[in-house]
Amino acid sequence: MTSTSPLTRTPPSTPASAAVPVDPARSDRRGAGVDDVRLSPTGFWGRRQLVNGEATIAHCLDWIERLDWLENIDRVARRETTVERAGWQFSDSEIYKLLEAMAWELGRRDDPALEATFASVVGRVAAAQDDDGYLGTAFGHPGLPERYSDLGMGHELYNLGHLLQAAVARVRTRGEDALVEVARRAADHVCREFGADGRDGICGHPEIEVGLAEFGRALGEPRYVEQARLFVDRRGHGSLPVPPLQSAEYFQDDTPVLDAEALRGHAVRALYLSAGAVDVAVDGGDDALLEALRRQWDHTVERRTYLTGGMGSRHQDEGFGEDFELPADRGYCETCAGVGSVMFSWRLYLATGEVRYVDLIERTLFNVVATSPASDGRSFFYANPLHQREAGAESTDGVNTRAEGGTRAPWFEVSCCPTNVARTLASLPAYVAALDGDTAVLLQYADGRVHIGDVLLDVQTRYPDDGVIRIEILDAPAHESTVRLRVPAWANDAHLVEPDSDARPVEPGWVDVRRRFTAGDVITLDLRITPRFTFPDPRVDAVRGTVAVERGPLVLCLESVDLPDGVTIDDVAVDTTAAPVATIDGATVSGVVVTSGERAPGALPYGANAETPTPTSDLDIALVPYHRWAERGPATMRVFIPTADGRNTTAATDGR
Amino acid sequence: MTSTSPLTRTPPSTPASAAVPVDPARSDRRGAGVDDVRLSPTGFWGRRQLVNGEATIAHCLDWIERLDWLENIDRVARRETTVERAGWQFSDSEIYKLLEAMAWELGRRDDPALEATFASVVGRVAAAQDDDGYLGTAFGHPGLPERYSDLGMGHELYNLGHLLQAAVARVRTRGEDALVEVARRAADHVCREFGADGRDGICGHPEIEVGLAEFGRALGEPRYVEQARLFVDRRGHGSLPVPPLQSAEYFQDDTPVLDAEALRGHAVRALYLSAGAVDVAVDGGDDALLEALRRQWDHTVERRTYLTGGMGSRHQDEGFGEDFELPADRGYCETCAGVGSVMFSWRLYLATGEVRYVDLIERTLFNVVATSPASDGRSFFYANPLHQREAGAESTDGVNTRAEGGTRAPWFEVSCCPTNVARTLASLPAYVAALDGDTAVLLQYADGRVHIGDVLLDVQTRYPDDGVIRIEILDAPAHESTVRLRVPAWANDAHLVEPDSDARPVEPGWVDVRRRFTAGDVITLDLRITPRFTFPDPRVDAVRGTVAVERGPLVLCLESVDLPDGVTIDDVAVDTTAAPVATIDGATVSGVVVTSGERAPGALPYGANAETPTPTSDLDIALVPYHRWAERGPATMRVFIPTADGRNTTAATDGR
């Protein structure tokens, strides 16, 4: 089931054993196993996956040890919990998310050293488990508060949810082992404690739902899924005590999932809950719940989502804002919310087969998830705003106590994002392709080999730098079969070349190539990536009169380091009558340097006369991919740039 | 020193006993005493002062009793502090701010019942004071943490600062009494504990500085002022432990006051600190410190202040944002920050005599301080955003646990604002006029009688509904004297009529009328209030392409209740080529109803084509004063409205 070379052809795994993070009980679709897709180490995602395996996982483990978060576990095992505990009450979850990352990594390649590390951590975790299956370092032991005495903020079930997700990764890649056994005992404990006859409680931070549902699927234990359903059903009835200065909306305890109109409150909580609720709805055949979640997704994407796919516009409560409250500068867009958004959208894709969910996954992966880690995989963005007014500090080797700020940090006081990035990149192959009925679907374009169903594909592409995707059939059944390709919503000049055919235009959405394939057949999809202007909806007040530039799936941005001396990001405006011009991986737009009027000292920034900035000189403005901003030292940055005429002018772009 | 009728002429008080909140040791200026200005009960401010005295003070006391915040005091007196304490660690300060409000109120009028209430509360406070002068209910007694064991967040000195300000109000209106004695013992305790040879500490929430400085001035005890200077000097060196997920900037412990460039961090903290630092700078003749504070004021007003005068653009940390980070929808503009801004600007006016400080005070009083209380004085805004996207809840009689929201609430979990409004309105006369050398200066225009220096004026005006201010000299010295009037910065068509003269135009700033006045002389200032367009600086991204309408000192706003059925505040745009037309106290502007383009379900609010909203019909848009928004039930609201052509167009207004 594993392979040492990413490009070695592997025998098809049977669907029953697919190494996938999500496998609904009722679905016509299943993603590729993590071992079914071999990303080329030179491609966009393959490179990141390699760095993740070689650097990020070890980096995270190092910090977890350094800060004594594993020592917390050992102290429970040694019954020494009366000394002061290290870290937040949710620090255990970082260990579990890292175990999940390791498990997916080990599901793709043999690595005896990593396997030994994994086993060692699992051994320490197992030693800390109570006889009745309870596992936790912040409650329920001498010197600590009682178990479940703070359901609102205690994160005990949240931590266990991540344990279960790690065990899912393990059981689906290597089968049952010590971690799976620990997880099973923990899940049994949760069902006993919080079952229909148990405590009528929920966890302030959703995650147990998605963990239980998938672990139940993985082990064939429907009662775990049933317990997840109980947690989803119990939510929204105001049962959690609301902390001072908080609201029930913060942890989605204000309105039942079935009745909510949009995602709201703490973004990661809302997204994890939604993902778990889709699992429950799908396995239970609860169409009303599924429809409610689809409506909430629509509303949230239409009115509460950034161009990057980022979600959560408020630092306050790390939360969603109201409709169209999408400030570029204070956009929080937590990396973990990006991960949660992928989790939610992925489950809706599996449930429906609709392309828009996959489109948002692509947008979020390229512009949120890929933005977080530095190229060396050892520092991370927590928040991903679309406008940086003040340059961040020089990067340091210390803990960044605050989530904000223009500089990737090695670790955070609340350090949820690094391990979330690690587990997502380690399991990325699962989102690249899917089997829809007997149709092989290519969802994301990445250089590498894809084995899906009975089809083995060699994908060659420099995507997203280039839009040409060459798909060679290496193996396919003798009978007629279908390869389905996704044409992203932005690709409205895409062309397809089927074997022995001429290029033909294809529309955004799904495009099927159905035939009796023979080895060596080549399908070429040309998404014709050129930079394009993107204008905000007029209701997004915060970016009125501005324009962004996108290039394929990438959002571009202006960094101060690319401007001439003396010109700041506030001094330029874009001439939208001239089309943007492609550079190697970004774009150049025509612009002007503008000068704002002078005001008297101490005068408010408001005046009787409109002050359209005065153009003083022309300037070509170089834009780079947002995902790699701040890699050249501290900088200011903006995605949305004012237009030279001060309004949303219809663009003369490349004809689209 | 008191009078039962607001319009009864009172004998001049001697300057030495002026009932003012601020009286620098070195200054050519002093504000009017609270008993020197008799506001007419039908005028804008007189009405509010009346409601404050008749309703708000009792309302606040009722809530303070109801929530056991005075019971906390009694428990200390009874030595029963081992039971759980009510409220936050700063709840004592609400009692002291209310005492300050009562003291100013009693400084203007006799009210035996209020006097008895005052004495009763003071008696309870006095009974809780420790033998060594310490006073506090959250630390330093059995069952509570040790004194000063949490300087960062404990608010012990903050509370005492408010006690001292209350005592200032008392000693300057009624002389020494029990409250003043309690305050003196507390101040002595603070000096012993935190003096040059004592603890090298500061309080996480500034306020003790301003309290000590003024109490020292009022009692002629320079060592209290010196202690205030010590606190100011010690700040900014990172001595306070930074709470989790916080930063030293939050409580201005990142940079010494002398070195800071702008106000930053928690807005109320920053403003109280700045006010105290001005006191210290002025009394100590520290010109460098004063200059630093003036620069910070300039920077803050130029780049971090709302059109309303509101300060603090972040809910997160209730803090200032970065330069030009001034979102309308999430503008926090805490009422207390408005009070703090008045405190800071007032001290800078006294120090310099410059008109711009008084201009900002007017803007802030009318648009922040006056906005907070409902017309009945029994509910309050805590935050004062300039755009309400979702209508607030129906008002309730309960505690509003969150500061946000579109509905005035009777009380808050953190209820700093109601008592801050109360003490400000009770002392409002002190800001209406000043004596600058021997010049009588009229700073704010309010219907009533003003006794300043040797001059007694009868001011008749419907300001701000009307710009005509008729000033009759009731009494003046036999020799030549000067009456100085403020022409607000916005009044660029103002005219003045001196006795026996024709109207002449006057420029914004100070205008002096110097002559040998005789009783019956009339000066008429006509500020010619007409509604006017105000455009944001292009660097304020959040409101690009919009316009606001002001009318004299008032910011106007659009409330949804004034729109036709089916039209929302997001559906209208303003035609800035037509001048706004005055209504009784607001304005009407020409506008259009616009329709935004439809997007596909689940589509992001960004697109390839600019979507300038399409005008579908003309509409006169009625605007009302911002200070009275949300008085007609839950509504959405906006101050800045998109312009019909989508950009900052130079306005064809009334010729200015």
Side-chain angles (χ1 to χ4, degrees):
Chain A
M1 209 155 178
T2 61
S3 166
T4 49
S5 158
L7 294 181
T8 302
R9 185 166 168 184
T10 50
S13 58
T14 62
S17 67
V20 295
V22 187
D23 193 13
R26 309 179 187 206
S27 172
D28 294 330
R29 282 156 295 280
R30 168 188 281 168
V34 290
D35 51 343
D36 291 330
V37 175
R38 301 289 165 178
L39 299 174
S40 159
T42 57
F44 186 98
W45 290 116
R47 192 168 70 246
R48 279 162 177 77
Q49 193 171 62
L50 200 68
V51 169
N52 188 56
E54 290 185 349
T56 303
I57 288 176
H59 171 89
C60 290
L61 185 60
D62 181 54
W63 273 97
I64 286 172
E65 289 279 27
R66 194 188 306 189
L67 297 176
D68 282 345
W69 296 357
L70 260 162
E71 170 70 7
N72 286 337
I73 296 266
D74 297 341
R75 283 180 186 153
V76 171
R78 294 197 310 262
R79 302 175 188 284
E80 291 173 4
T81 52
T82 53
V83 296
E84 195 182 359
R85 194 182 163 282
W88 291 87
Q89 62 273 37
F90 38 80
S91 65
D92 296 356
S93 71
E94 306 311 332
I95 299 165
Y96 304 146
K97 281 192 282 184
L98 191 60
L99 284 176
E100 183 186 342
M102 291 184 199
W104 292 125
E105 195 69 17
L106 291 166
R108 287 188 293 102
R109 60 182 176 90
D110 283 327
D111 183 336
L114 184 62
E115 183 69 45
T117 301
F118 179 87
S120 162
V121 174
V122 168
R124 292 162 75 177
V125 169
Q129 189 166 36
D130 289 356
D131 290 342
D132 67 350
Y134 180 85
L135 184 56
T137 64
F139 293 85
H141 299 104
L144 300 171
E146 280 185 26
R147 285 182 189 178
Y148 307 119
S149 56
D150 183 11
L151 283 174
M153 298 304 288
H155 288 74
E156 289 166 278
L157 293 170
Y158 167 85
N159 289 333
L160 294 180
H162 278 300
L163 172 74
L164 299 182
Q165 285 194 306
V168 165
R170 190 61 173 174
V171 73
R172 290 216 176 116
T173 52
R174 296 292 176 107
E176 305 223 6
D177 77 339
L179 176 64
V180 178
E181 184 51 31
V182 168
R184 188 197 298 271
R185 296 180 59 218
D188 288 344
H189 156 77
V190 171
C191 290
R192 276 195 310 275
E193 194 78 17
F194 290 90
D197 303 326
R199 289 176 194 259
D200 186 22
I202 56 174
C203 182
H205 198 316
E207 164 64 24
I208 187 67
E209 299 80 0
V210 81
L212 277 169
E214 204 62 41
F215 194 57
R217 291 164 170 177
L219 296 197
E221 287 276 17
R223 66 200 180 88
Y224 296 160
V225 186
E226 173 59 20
Q227 182 63 46
R229 190 189 63 71
L230 273 179
F231 282 134
V232 170
D233 286 352
R234 283 176 190 161
R235 202 166 204 97
H237 302 285
S239 73
L240 292 173
V242 176
L245 306 182
Q246 271 301 357
S247 71
E249 184 183 283
Y250 173 69
F251 32 42
Q252 294 79 44
D253 198 26
D254 55 329
T255 308
V257 176
L258 190 63
D259 302 330
E261 291 182 9
L263 268 56
R264 70 223 175 274
H266 187 271
V268 177
R269 282 171 165 82
L271 288 157
Y272 283 13
L273 174 64
S274 300
V278 175
D279 290 337
V280 163
V282 167
D283 284 21
D286 187 342
D287 291 342
L289 182 58
L290 183 62
E291 274 311 302
L293 290 156
R294 295 185 67 191
R295 281 198 311 272
Q296 291 165 36
W297 188 95
D298 280 0
H299 187 115
T300 304
V301 172
E302 290 165 10
R303 291 159 184 254
R304 300 184 176 195
T305 302
Y306 284 89
L307 186 61
T308 53
M311 293 186 184
S313 56
R314 295 181 177 180
H315 282 246
Q316 174 91 6
D317 299 339
E318 310 191 305
F320 280 100
E322 294 173 350
D323 289 351
F324 302 113
E325 180 195 320
L326 293 164
D329 49 2
R330 292 292 285 174
Y332 197 64
C333 300
E334 184 182 336
T335 300
C336 289
V339 170
S341 171
V342 170
M343 287 166 55
F344 182 27
S345 292
W346 179 245
R347 283 159 176 80
L348 287 179
Y349 164 69
L350 292 179
T352 66
E354 288 184 17
V355 71
R356 56 179 157 168
Y357 302 118
V358 187
D359 280 346
L360 187 69
I361 288 172
E362 173 174 61
R363 182 175 290 273
T364 307
L365 286 174
F366 275 111
N367 299 295
V368 179
V369 176
T371 303
S372 176
S375 55
D376 70 356
R378 296 178 194 276
S379 63
F380 308 86
F381 276 138
Y382 190 119
N384 297 281
L386 279 70
H387 181 182
Q388 186 75 28
R389 291 182 180 274
E390 293 185 7
E394 287 283 352
S395 186
T396 68
D397 196 35
V399 174
N400 181 337
T401 54
R402 303 274 291 185
E404 46 201 309
T407 309
R408 291 179 180 86
W411 205 248
F412 302 91
E413 195 165 315
V414 171
S415 210
C416 42
C417 297
T419 55
N420 235 344
V421 167
R423 68 180 185 138
T424 303
L425 292 178
S427 61
L428 201 67
Y431 304 101
V432 167
L435 195 63
D436 187 342
D438 55 6
T439 297
V441 190
L442 213 48
L443 300 166
Q444 305 295 344
Y445 300 114
D447 200 73
R449 288 199 184 184
V450 176
H451 175 210
I452 190 75
D454 298 327
V455 178
L456 182 66
L457 306 173
D458 182 47
V459 179
Q460 293 182 23
T461 183
R462 295 195 301 113
Y463 192 82
D465 291 348
D466 183 83
V468 178
I469 299 131
R470 180 185 184 278
I471 302 154
E472 182 178 344
I473 314 297
L474 298 184
D475 196 6
H479 56 82
E480 201 170 51
S481 61
T482 303
V483 171
R484 178 172 295 165
L485 304 177
R486 181 178 64 93
V487 180
W490 50 263
N492 45 16
D493 190 29
H495 286 72
L496 181 76
V497 185
E498 297 194 40
D500 314 317
S501 305
D502 290 335
R504 65 178 173 90
V506 286
E507 293 294 308
W510 299 123
V511 57
D512 285 2
V513 179
R514 181 161 182 85
R515 60 167 59 215
R516 190 167 302 165
F517 289 105
T518 56
D521 278 354
V522 172
I523 305 168
T524 303
L525 178 64
D526 186 355
L527 296 173
R528 301 210 177 168
I529 289 179
T530 53
R532 63 189 188 276
F533 286 128
T534 300
F535 295 88
D537 186 298
R539 291 168 294 186
V540 185
D541 292 280
V543 288
R544 178 178 289 107
T546 67
V547 67
V549 181
E550 295 183 278
R551 188 181 194 278
L554 300 181
V555 174
L556 305 184
C557 70
L558 165 61
E559 271 197 275
S560 54
V561 292
D562 289 317
L563 287 172
D565 284 351
V567 178
T568 78
I569 61 165
D570 290 328
D571 300 333
V572 300
V574 173
D575 174 6
T576 57
T577 63
V581 177
T583 55
I584 190 158
D585 65 350
T588 299
V589 293
S590 297
V592 287
V593 178
V594 295
T595 308
S596 293
E598 284 295 305
R599 295 188 181 280
L604 289 162
Y606 314 96
N609 293 312
E611 292 201 33
T612 304
T614 313
T616 53
S617 63
D618 290 343
L619 175 77
D620 282 339
I621 302 169
L623 307 173
V624 298
Y626 174 77
H627 66 75
R628 65 178 174 82
W629 90 272
E631 288 202 340
R632 293 171 293 168
T636 54
M637 177 277 297
R638 60 190 307 161
V639 167
F640 287 99
I641 309 170
T643 57
D645 66 351
R647 57 177 166 176
N648 294 354
T649 313
T650 300
T653 57
D654 49 357
R656 281 177 278 149
Chain B
M1 208 155 179
T2 61
S3 167
T4 48
S5 159
L7 294 180
T8 302
R9 185 166 167 184
T10 51
S13 58
T14 62
S17 69
V20 295
V22 187
D23 193 13
R26 311 180 186 205
S27 173
D28 294 330
R29 281 157 294 280
R30 169 188 281 170
V34 291
D35 51 344
D36 292 329
V37 176
R38 301 289 164 181
L39 300 174
S40 159
T42 57
F44 186 97
W45 289 116
R47 192 168 70 248
R48 280 162 178 76
Q49 193 171 63
L50 200 67
V51 169
N52 187 56
E54 291 186 348
T56 302
I57 288 176
H59 171 89
C60 291
L61 185 60
D62 180 53
W63 274 98
I64 285 172
E65 289 280 25
R66 194 188 307 188
L67 297 176
D68 282 345
W69 297 354
L70 261 163
E71 169 70 8
N72 287 336
I73 296 265
D74 297 341
R75 280 181 188 153
V76 170
R78 296 197 309 263
R79 303 177 189 282
E80 290 173 4
T81 52
T82 52
V83 296
E84 195 182 359
R85 194 182 162 282
W88 291 88
Q89 62 273 38
F90 38 80
S91 64
D92 296 357
S93 71
E94 306 312 330
I95 299 164
Y96 304 146
K97 280 190 285 182
L98 192 61
L99 283 176
E100 183 185 344
M102 291 183 198
W104 292 127
E105 195 68 17
L106 291 166
R108 286 187 294 104
R109 60 180 176 92
D110 283 328
D111 183 335
L114 185 61
E115 184 69 46
T117 302
F118 180 87
S120 162
V121 173
V122 168
R124 291 163 75 178
V125 169
Q129 189 166 36
D130 289 357
D131 289 343
D132 66 352
Y134 179 84
L135 183 57
T137 64
F139 293 85
H141 299 103
L144 299 171
E146 282 185 24
R147 284 182 190 180
Y148 307 117
S149 55
D150 182 12
L151 283 173
M153 298 303 289
H155 288 73
E156 288 166 280
L157 293 170
Y158 166 86
N159 289 333
L160 293 179
H162 278 300
L163 172 74
L164 300 181
Q165 284 194 306
V168 165
R170 191 61 174 173
V171 74
R172 290 216 177 116
T173 52
R174 297 290 177 110
E176 305 224 6
D177 78 341
L179 176 63
V180 178
E181 183 52 31
V182 168
R184 188 198 298 271
R185 297 180 59 218
D188 289 343
H189 156 76
V190 172
C191 291
R192 277 196 309 275
E193 192 77 19
F194 289 92
D197 302 325
R199 289 177 194 259
D200 185 22
I202 56 174
C203 182
H205 198 315
E207 163 64 24
I208 186 69
E209 299 81 1
V210 82
L212 277 169
E214 204 62 41
F215 194 58
R217 292 164 170 177
L219 294 198
E221 287 276 17
R223 63 199 183 89
Y224 296 160
V225 186
E226 172 60 20
Q227 182 64 45
R229 191 190 62 73
L230 273 179
F231 283 134
V232 170
D233 287 351
R234 283 177 190 160
R235 203 166 202 95
H237 302 284
S239 73
L240 291 174
V242 177
L245 305 182
Q246 270 302 359
S247 70
E249 183 183 284
Y250 172 70
F251 31 41
Q252 295 79 43
D253 198 27
D254 56 329
T255 308
V257 176
L258 190 63
D259 302 330
E261 292 182 8
L263 268 56
R264 70 225 175 274
H266 188 269
V268 178
R269 282 171 165 81
L271 288 157
Y272 283 14
L273 173 65
S274 300
V278 175
D279 290 336
V280 163
V282 167
D283 284 21
D286 187 342
D287 291 342
L289 182 58
L290 182 62
E291 275 310 301
L293 289 156
R294 296 184 68 191
R295 281 198 310 272
Q296 291 165 36
W297 188 95
D298 280 359
H299 187 117
T300 303
V301 172
E302 290 165 10
R303 292 158 185 255
R304 300 183 177 196
T305 302
Y306 284 89
L307 185 61
T308 53
M311 294 187 183
S313 56
R314 295 181 176 179
H315 283 245
Q316 174 90 8
D317 299 340
E318 310 190 306
F320 280 100
E322 294 172 350
D323 288 352
F324 301 112
E325 179 195 319
L326 294 163
D329 49 3
R330 293 292 284 172
Y332 197 64
C333 301
E334 184 181 337
T335 300
C336 290
V339 171
S341 171
V342 170
M343 287 165 56
F344 182 27
S345 292
W346 179 246
R347 284 159 176 80
L348 287 179
Y349 163 70
L350 292 178
T352 66
E354 289 185 15
V355 72
R356 56 179 157 167
Y357 302 119
V358 187
D359 279 345
L360 187 68
I361 289 171
E362 172 174 63
R363 182 175 289 274
T364 307
L365 286 175
F366 274 112
N367 299 295
V368 179
V369 176
T371 304
S372 176
S375 54
D376 70 356
R378 297 178 193 275
S379 62
F380 308 85
F381 276 138
Y382 189 120
N384 296 282
L386 280 70
H387 180 182
Q388 185 76 26
R389 292 181 179 275
E390 293 185 5
E394 286 284 351
S395 186
T396 68
D397 196 34
V399 174
N400 181 337
T401 54
R402 303 274 290 188
E404 47 201 307
T407 308
R408 292 178 179 85
W411 205 248
F412 302 91
E413 195 165 316
V414 172
S415 211
C416 41
C417 298
T419 55
N420 235 343
V421 167
R423 67 180 185 138
T424 303
L425 291 179
S427 60
L428 202 66
Y431 305 101
V432 167
L435 195 63
D436 187 342
D438 55 6
T439 297
V441 191
L442 212 46
L443 300 166
Q444 305 294 343
Y445 299 114
D447 199 73
R449 288 198 186 186
V450 176
H451 175 210
I452 190 74
D454 299 326
V455 178
L456 182 65
L457 306 173
D458 182 48
V459 179
Q460 292 182 23
T461 181
R462 295 194 302 112
Y463 193 81
D465 290 349
D466 184 83
V468 177
I469 299 129
R470 181 186 183 279
I471 302 153
E472 182 179 344
I473 314 297
L474 299 184
D475 196 6
H479 55 82
E480 201 170 53
S481 60
T482 304
V483 172
R484 179 170 294 164
L485 304 177
R486 181 180 64 93
V487 180
W490 50 262
N492 45 17
D493 189 31
H495 286 70
L496 181 76
V497 185
E498 299 194 39
D500 314 315
S501 306
D502 290 334
R504 63 178 173 93
V506 286
E507 293 293 307
W510 299 123
V511 57
D512 285 2
V513 180
R514 182 162 183 81
R515 61 168 58 215
R516 192 166 302 165
F517 289 104
T518 57
D521 278 353
V522 172
I523 306 168
T524 303
L525 178 65
D526 185 355
L527 296 173
R528 301 212 176 168
I529 290 179
T530 53
R532 63 191 186 277
F533 286 127
T534 300
F535 295 88
D537 186 299
R539 291 168 294 186
V540 185
D541 292 279
V543 289
R544 179 178 286 108
T546 67
V547 66
V549 180
E550 295 183 278
R551 188 181 193 279
L554 300 182
V555 174
L556 305 185
C557 70
L558 165 61
E559 269 198 277
S560 54
V561 292
D562 289 318
L563 286 173
D565 284 351
V567 177
T568 78
I569 62 165
D570 290 328
D571 300 333
V572 300
V574 174
D575 174 7
T576 57
T577 63
V581 175
T583 55
I584 189 159
D585 64 351
T588 299
V589 293
S590 297
V592 287
V593 178
V594 296
T595 308
S596 293
E598 284 294 305
R599 296 189 181 278
L604 289 162
Y606 313 96
N609 294 312
E611 294 201 31
T612 304
T614 313
T616 52
S617 63
D618 291 343
L619 175 76
D620 282 340
I621 302 169
L623 307 174
V624 298
Y626 173 76
H627 67 73
R628 64 177 175 84
W629 90 272
E631 287 202 342
R632 294 172 292 168
T636 54
M637 176 276 297
R638 60 190 307 161
V639 167
F640 287 99
I641 309 171
T643 57
D645 66 353
R647 57 176 164 176
N648 294 355
T649 313
T650 300
T653 57
D654 48 358
R656 280 176 279 148

